[in-house]
Amino acid sequence: MPLSTIISFAFFVVLMTVLSWYITRRHQLKTAADVFLGSRSLNWLVIGGALIMTNISANQFIGENESVFINNMSIMSWGVTSVFAMLLVSEFLMPIYLRIGAVTTPDFLEVRYDSGTKKIVSVIFLLSYLVNLIPAVLYGGAVAFNGIFHLNELLHLSYWSTIWMLACLIGITGFFYNVLGGLKVISISDTLLGAGMIIGGLLLPYFGFKYLGHGDAETGLLTVLGSHTDHLNAIGSVHDAVPFSTIFTGMLLVNIYYWGMEQFIVQQALGSVNLEQSQKGIALACLCKLLSPLMLNIPGLIAVHLYIHPQATAEIFPRMAADVLPPVYTGLIAAIVFGAALSTFNAGLNSVGTLFTMNLYKPFMIARKGSVSDKELISRTRLFQVLVLMSGIIIAPFIMLFKGGFYNYIQMLAGFFSIPIFTIMVVGMATRYVPPVAAKAGLVFFLAMNVLLQWVFDTGIHYLHLLAITFVVTALLMLIIGKIKPMAVPYQPAVIPVVSVEPWKHRHWYSVALLILMVLLFIIFSPLGLAK
């Protein structure tokens, strides 16, 4: 490993840390709002950077490039179609959250149904983070970092031991970052990382094409466009990991849930100065999602022409970065991957603390003692986060044993936990008479159907289609219960905003432009475009 790579990696990591500290040095963590919402002081640039870097972790670098290498560009659908979902969230969901002064997304469920529903959903969120988000982020970061620096070979350790060691490093570093800075420092560092990712997104494909073309980037580009053109197709068939039809069913539901209800994502936008800044930040994140294939998919395309039978397809991205980039730039990419892992981990850990403290611990202590101080809330948050960190480190290495592949592990578990919550949220927003008992019945029914249809019976139907079918059936069940036993007093939306909820005047023009770009990307990577 060249010394210049190590030096450049250390330089970029220290630079981002120092800049984040300098920008937020006067920000004090005295109240729960300071820790969990950055004192509601985030502007559009910070929100956009935080959203995109919280979303793009080492999981995407590893999983999406691996999928492109094995299959084709159809995996691109997850990121590109999320633009449509994000615009829906910006227009319809963010105004709802900010009007009720929400700190967590389950806060809406308490207003719409009852406190019991809010607590149940908070527990489901926490379980999802414990078994999926936190371990997966630690594992993905560890795999990427090891793939770039080959630490298992340098330290003469087994692959398992190296992954476990790196998971510990990322987790402990992220924990202290979280403790010292709270959401605002996390969001500022994410903005800086977002700028670095755009630079890296341009550098890595360029040097990849140059390496493939033996010093001539144009020759490398023509090689990718002229052979293995089936890999250029983003219109997935029924035999691909992501069939094109799924973007209109389960994928749409998962994306709306992820960007509009997933606590560790939405928390970035809930910390906004006002609704206008939140909507601008989401629009910026949409633009970044349209640029993200440069790092998440194009390297996988180039790797198809570089590696015939790699030992571990999960290491395609870090291996290519180490092979094609000059040492200094390899350090930059390593810093971006390391920072991306930290950013998603930090956001997840911050949200875990928020959900546990504000939705479970605080109500319990108020019912028991009548009040609870911010100091006690923050201390209990840190204790719970330590427990979550320890469990994530223990679980992370075992993900390599999952037979369906890393990215499949993430998406399968994400769908299992997310769409039941999505269902009761949507029905709650769309109706006024559906009672709390319908929400609880819907959660139990959906989770039971998920287990039966995906893990007990082999239906032969893609799991994203199954999620959409179960969503429709569960929603109908809730509506029937609401018809039989409606709420005595219909739900009336509360309006208790703590920030301005005046929308962004020019949002519709930007939305149209972003949707046109989204469609153009699919046309380019299709049999009508490059995949002839």
Side-chain angles (χ1 to χ4, degrees):
M1 173 61 61
L3 181 61
S4 56
T5 298
I6 299 173
I7 293 174
S8 66
F9 166 75
F11 170 78
F12 288 118
V13 168
V14 170
L15 177 64
M16 285 186 286
T17 303
V18 170
L19 285 174
S20 300
W21 167 81
Y22 181 78
I23 294 171
T24 61
R25 66 192 184 282
R26 295 187 178 90
H27 181 66
Q28 301 295 319
L29 301 181
K30 295 180 179 179
T31 69
D34 294 335
V35 175
F36 302 136
L37 294 176
S39 306
R40 297 188 187 272
S41 61
L42 307 183
N43 62 33
W44 67 273
L45 185 61
V46 174
I47 291 169
L51 283 172
I52 198 66
M53 289 312 299
T54 300
N55 164 245
I56 298 178
S57 70
N59 301 349
Q60 278 73 30
F61 288 116
I62 296 295
E64 292 204 25
N65 281 298
E66 178 188 28
S67 183
V68 171
F69 181 86
I70 296 172
N71 303 294
N72 52 31
M73 285 286 287
S74 59
I75 196 69
M76 180 185 83
S77 301
W78 278 107
V80 173
T81 60
S82 67
V83 169
F84 178 61
M86 293 161 75
L87 293 174
L88 291 177
V89 169
S90 174
E91 184 68 22
F92 299 108
L93 297 190
M94 287 312 303
I96 292 175
Y97 293 143
L98 293 180
R99 283 193 188 106
I100 65 172
V103 176
T104 68
T105 51
D107 286 348
F108 168 78
L109 297 175
E110 182 176 33
V111 174
R112 173 58 181 84
Y113 296 113
D114 58 12
S115 60
T117 305
K118 173 183 175 179
K119 290 174 183 176
I120 293 170
V121 168
S122 296
V123 170
I124 294 174
F125 266 124
L126 290 173
L127 287 174
S128 173
Y129 292 175
L130 281 169
V131 303
N132 187 23
L133 176 67
I134 299 297
V137 168
L138 294 176
Y139 174 75
V143 169
F145 207 64
N146 184 65
I148 292 174
F149 288 102
H150 307 293
L151 291 178
N152 60 320
E153 298 173 9
L154 291 174
L155 301 177
H156 304 290
L157 294 173
S158 67
Y159 189 72
W160 178 282
S161 299
T162 306
I163 295 300
W164 184 84
M165 179 188 70
L166 289 171
C168 287
L169 173 66
I170 294 170
I172 293 171
T173 303
F175 174 77
F176 283 109
Y177 207 81
N178 200 295
V179 168
L180 296 173
L183 182 67
K184 187 161 188 177
V185 171
I186 294 168
S187 299
I188 292 294
S189 65
D190 287 349
T191 304
L192 299 173
L193 277 167
M197 192 189 72
I198 292 173
I199 296 170
L202 296 173
L203 288 175
L204 185 56
Y206 169 75
F207 282 107
F209 289 130
K210 189 174 180 179
Y211 184 87
L212 180 62
H214 304 289
D216 185 356
E218 184 179 353
T219 301
L221 174 62
L222 292 175
T223 300
V224 170
L225 297 179
S227 59
H228 298 294
T229 53
D230 52 316
H231 281 269
L232 295 167
N233 191 14
I235 311 299
S237 69
V238 293
H239 305 294
D240 288 316
V242 186
F244 188 69
S245 58
T246 61
I247 71 176
F248 305 103
T249 59
M251 186 183 295
L252 176 62
L253 302 184
V254 171
N255 271 332
I256 294 175
Y257 164 83
Y258 180 85
W259 292 101
M261 301 173 191
E262 182 68 82
Q263 177 62 29
F264 83 100
I265 290 291
V266 180
Q267 192 161 338
Q268 317 298 319
L270 291 179
S272 63
V273 174
N274 51 44
L275 177 59
E276 180 182 359
Q277 293 296 309
S278 177
Q279 291 177 328
K280 286 182 178 179
I282 293 173
L284 175 60
C286 287
L287 180 60
C288 291
K289 286 302 289 182
L290 294 175
L291 296 174
S292 64
L294 287 171
M295 282 195 76
L296 301 184
N297 306 124
I298 301 302
L301 279 179
I302 299 171
V304 170
H305 302 268
L306 294 178
Y307 312 115
I308 300 176
H309 297 296
Q311 290 183 344
T313 54
E315 292 197 355
I316 284 296
F317 174 81
R319 179 179 174 182
M320 183 181 147
D323 287 346
V324 309
L325 288 173
V328 173
Y329 295 137
T330 303
L332 170 62
I333 296 297
I336 292 170
V337 171
F338 184 69
L342 280 181
S343 102
T344 306
F345 174 80
N346 288 337
L349 200 62
N350 197 52
S351 295
V352 161
T354 309
L355 288 164
F356 170 76
T357 305
M358 304 303 289
N359 293 1
L360 300 176
Y361 183 80
K362 183 178 180 180
F364 173 77
M365 293 307 295
I366 289 177
R368 182 182 175 186
K369 299 192 305 181
S371 64
V372 58
S373 67
D374 278 334
K375 183 178 179 180
E376 182 181 349
L377 291 177
I378 294 172
S379 68
R380 294 300 181 269
T381 297
R382 300 312 181 203
L383 178 60
F384 186 72
Q385 287 174 330
V386 169
L387 297 176
V388 171
L389 168 62
M390 292 171 62
S391 67
I393 289 172
I394 292 170
I395 296 171
F398 289 94
I399 295 178
M400 70 177 70
L401 304 179
F402 186 73
K403 293 181 180 179
F406 177 45
Y407 205 74
N408 199 40
Y409 169 88
I410 299 170
Q411 299 298 348
M412 287 285 286
L413 281 181
F416 180 83
F417 287 108
S418 64
I419 303 304
I421 299 173
F422 173 83
T423 305
I424 67 169
M425 293 267 294
V426 168
V427 173
M429 291 174 179
T431 66
R432 297 174 60 200
Y433 289 92
V434 173
V437 67
K440 298 178 179 68
L443 285 172
V444 173
F445 177 79
F446 202 118
L447 290 170
M449 289 296 292
N450 246 349
V451 171
L452 291 174
L453 293 177
Q454 294 195 37
W455 293 338
V456 177
F457 301 111
D458 184 8
T459 62
I461 302 174
H462 194 279
Y463 78 91
L464 287 173
H465 290 318
L466 287 176
L467 286 176
I469 293 169
T470 313
F471 162 74
V472 172
V473 175
T474 305
L476 288 174
L477 172 66
M478 292 180 64
L479 292 174
I480 291 171
I481 294 174
K483 190 72 174 177
I484 297 172
K485 191 177 180 181
M487 295 175 68
V489 179
Y491 163 68
Q492 293 290 339
V495 181
I496 45 174
V498 293
V499 298
S500 170
V501 290
E502 186 71 25
W504 179 27
K505 292 181 180 179
H506 305 297
R507 64 193 185 281
H508 297 307
W509 292 106
Y510 284 86
S511 296
V512 170
L514 289 166
L515 290 173
I516 291 172
L517 290 174
M518 180 188 76
V519 173
L520 284 176
L521 265 179
F522 276 108
I523 293 173
I524 291 170
F525 291 99
S526 76
L528 296 176
L530 299 177
K532 294 180 180 178

